[in-house]
Amino acid sequence: MADPWESTMDHAVAIARKAGEVVCDALRGDRMVTTKSSAVDLVTQTDQKVEQLIIQSVKEKFPTHRFIGEESVAAGESCILSDSPTWIIDPIDGTTNFVHAFPFVAVCIGFAVNKQVEFGVVYSCIEDKMFTARRGRGAFCNGEPLQVSQQKAVEQAIVATEFGSDRDPEVVDKIFQSLRNVLCLPVHGVRGAGSAAMNMCLVASGCVEAYYEIGVHVWDVAAASLIVSEAGGVLMDVEGGEVDLMSRRIIAANSKTVAERLVKTIVAFSPPRDDAAPSDRCEDSTHLSARKV
Ligand code: LIP
């Protein structure tokens, strides 16, 4: 049966690759860094330039489509997912990595219709790895099929997580309590690529058995969530049950068994939702300052 979103996905792959070229070019020059919700929540002119490149290219081809973009939301746009065809964009997932030239940087484009992700594209541009997934049609890296790890024993797993950009001591304590609990399950190891999407693509690739994080945003995980599930993986909320991409909480695992072990291990808390009213979100631009790296 013909795929109604085939040409749309083709455009997403093409613009992700073009955006990745812009990111890699910027790595060879100076990068002007400012901050958003905290002194370590970084953003650069390249993040903003790449997001606008993607959005403008989509508007020209698909003028009725909607957008949720990390930097557009930071600038005050709404973060509401309607039933309309919606592009969910993280122009640079791993911005801190980008600032430091740490080689895990991804352009993320998720595409949702009726609030369901229909395709996901994650382009790890420094590695030149194009991760893609189309609902019901599998997940791939540079055209090669992806399959999650078959290891069901969490004690023989590698688990990925991140520390996020919230430095509130109470939040940091909960993050470290979870990290300690996971490490002492025990697991073979804990890793972090510095990018939610890259961690999830490592799960889809079978290199890591699970990834969890509290504090991510819908643009970090929307595209990669489909890549994980189409590679045979499982998505779950940190307290069990169906993942809510707006909740800022996620477990992406190779199996329900591993996911459920993490549910029993993680110290859960609830950050302000992505679709909360802007006044209720913790994003505070009073940290805006500029420096060159
Ligand atoms: C990053 C996420 C990561 C999280 C960071 C940051 P960004 O996304 O990929 O998982 O821990 O705080 O949110 O900001 O680089 O697009």
Side-chain angles (χ1 to χ4, degrees):
M1 186 175 83
D3 179 0
W5 300 115
E6 183 176 4
S7 63
T8 311
M9 183 171 178
D10 290 346
H11 181 76
V13 172
I15 196 65
R17 189 174 298 281
K18 188 172 181 180
E21 291 167 6
V22 173
V23 174
C24 286
D25 285 347
L27 277 168
R28 290 186 273 272
D30 292 332
R31 295 178 290 288
M32 188 62 75
V33 185
T34 54
T35 57
K36 295 186 292 189
S37 63
S38 77
V40 296
D41 185 9
L42 310 183
V43 60
T44 71
Q45 290 173 333
T46 308
D47 294 80
Q48 294 157 343
K49 176 182 177 183
V50 165
E51 184 165 311
Q52 284 311 309
L53 169 73
I54 295 168
I55 290 176
Q56 288 312 317
S57 78
V58 172
K59 280 183 174 176
E60 287 166 16
K61 283 180 77 75
F62 312 104
T64 62
H65 288 187
R66 311 280 297 269
F67 302 93
I68 292 175
E70 176 173 11
E71 305 317 331
S72 303
V73 172
E77 295 279 336
S78 73
C79 186
I80 304 296
L81 187 57
S82 69
D83 290 341
S84 302
T86 304
W87 296 66
I88 305 170
I89 302 163
D90 188 344
I92 301 180
D93 190 43
T95 295
T96 301
N97 289 352
F98 170 68
V99 167
H100 292 269
F102 186 79
F104 291 108
V105 173
V107 178
C108 299
I109 300 175
F111 180 73
V113 182
N114 298 324
K115 300 187 181 68
Q116 190 172 59
V117 179
E118 288 295 336
F119 64 73
V121 175
V122 173
Y123 182 42
S124 175
C125 52
I126 298 173
E127 297 179 292
D128 191 22
K129 287 183 176 179
M130 184 67 76
F131 294 91
T132 60
R134 172 76 179 96
R135 177 171 293 282
R137 300 175 188 238
F140 301 85
C141 177
N142 291 347
E144 293 298 318
L146 294 176
Q147 177 65 46
V148 296
S149 159
Q150 298 308 299
Q151 176 58 259
K152 299 293 190 297
V154 74
E155 293 79 3
Q156 299 182 44
I158 286 184
V159 176
T161 192
E162 300 290 336
F163 302 120
S165 54
D166 191 327
R167 294 295 182 265
D168 177 311
E170 286 185 23
V171 169
V172 171
D173 284 347
K174 290 187 173 75
I175 289 171
F176 273 81
Q177 284 167 20
S178 293
L179 181 61
R180 181 187 184 280
N181 293 350
V182 169
L183 205 53
C184 298
L185 278 173
V187 295
H188 275 182
V190 175
R191 300 289 185 272
S195 153
M198 288 308 305
N199 289 324
M200 293 169 74
C201 287
L202 287 167
V203 172
S205 304
C207 310
V208 160
E209 276 69 37
Y211 156 76
Y212 73 92
E213 188 171 353
I214 300 177
V216 285
H217 294 280
V218 59
W219 45 79
D220 296 320
V221 300
S225 67
L226 188 64
I227 293 168
V228 167
S229 54
E230 287 296 322
V234 167
L235 302 168
M236 196 175 283
D237 178 66
V238 294
E239 290 189 277
E242 191 175 344
V243 72
D244 173 350
L245 294 181
M246 288 286 180
S247 68
R248 301 186 62 198
R249 311 184 339 167
I250 192 165
I251 294 172
N254 66 336
S255 62
K256 191 169 180 238
T257 306
V258 169
E260 287 174 340
R261 282 297 300 277
L262 290 178
V263 167
K264 293 172 183 165
T265 307
I266 293 166
V267 176
F269 61 96
S270 299
R273 293 174 55 90
D274 277 325
D275 51 4
S279 56
D280 295 336
R281 288 194 225 129
C282 62
E283 269 66 31
D284 168 7
S285 58
T286 58
H287 293 284
L288 281 179
S289 62
R291 61 185 174 83
K292 188 180 289 187
V293 291

